[in-house]
Amino acid sequence: MKIWTKDEIIARFDMERAVRMVEQGFIAYSRKTTQVPPIQNFQFEAINGECCIKSAYVDGADTFAVKVSSGFYNNPAAGLPSNSGLVMLFSARTGAPVALLQDEGWLTCVRTAIAGQLAARVLAPPEVHGIGIIGTGVQARLQLEYLRPVTSCREVHVWEPNAERRAQFADDMSVVGFSVHAHDTADGVASNSNFIVTATPSRKALLESNWVQDDTHITAVGADGPGKQELDPVIVSRADVIVVDSIAQCSKYGEVSHALSAGLIQLEQLTELGTLLASGKRGRDDSRGKQITVADLTGVAVQDAQIADSIVGVTA
């Protein structure tokens, strides 16, 4: 069994290959040609921490994956990263361990950003005049970076509760080519953006419906476990198109679950991202004019299997 360090993983990483394989994984998942067992979740409320264990196998693949991912959100105050984890790959023929990827949570962050890029490809408004980011952590930064191939817009509006972190985000992302405006409130982001990404571990709605303009797309990635929420459920009910990474997962938690439990939407309104990608069509009907679209991305284990294989599978 080969043990991969984070540095080795990053050196081997190829974005185009990873995006292609994660897209194939989503399509396989929606076609039900995968095995994805139920997720295990640990909650450490006293120290604002959590951990999940996800596993997946894509039919015909040489390996299957088991991923452990943790988020301990008080860590930054102690100078530690909030996310960590590792991925294990096993032979689908013998069951023997093939690789241990000590990525420290990096692969989870990247595969989530790739999902955001894929959702943007099929749901972004034709003209993006402002990108809104709720949150300033690693995932918020990666989501913004991974939007580069999808839109030429570089006008960014950001909010999170901590003013110092808002300012640091603005400085850092301005250096890499974005024009970033930090706002004191989340409604300032919404009023200046028609493409919004929420990427926080919030357990209450941060974005209210009356702030969101028509002709806006929202990608929500933070509510990836029970009890989490970033959007007012009315936003989901207003959406002309609701795309989820997994109907099974998003009906239990994520933004869609809150709208479902409130009776604001029906299960039949949901379309899986893999189904949409397989169709080769855009999810937004641009001929209909101003539409609201929502992508609820809770994270599917098939993403972990595919992005790990994108590293290990290119080994000489």
Side-chain angles (χ1 to χ4, degrees), residues 114-131:
I114 289 173
Q117 182 188 110
L118 293 171
R121 187 199 302 170
V122 292
L123 292 169
E127 294 283 340
V128 178
H129 60 72
I131 299 171

Side-chain angles (χ1 to χ4, degrees), residues 24-40:
Q24 291 168 354
F26 275 125
I27 292 171
Y29 178 81
S30 293
R31 287 176 173 168
K32 304 189 185 310
T33 57
T34 63
Q35 295 183 50
V36 180
I39 300 168
Q40 293 178 266

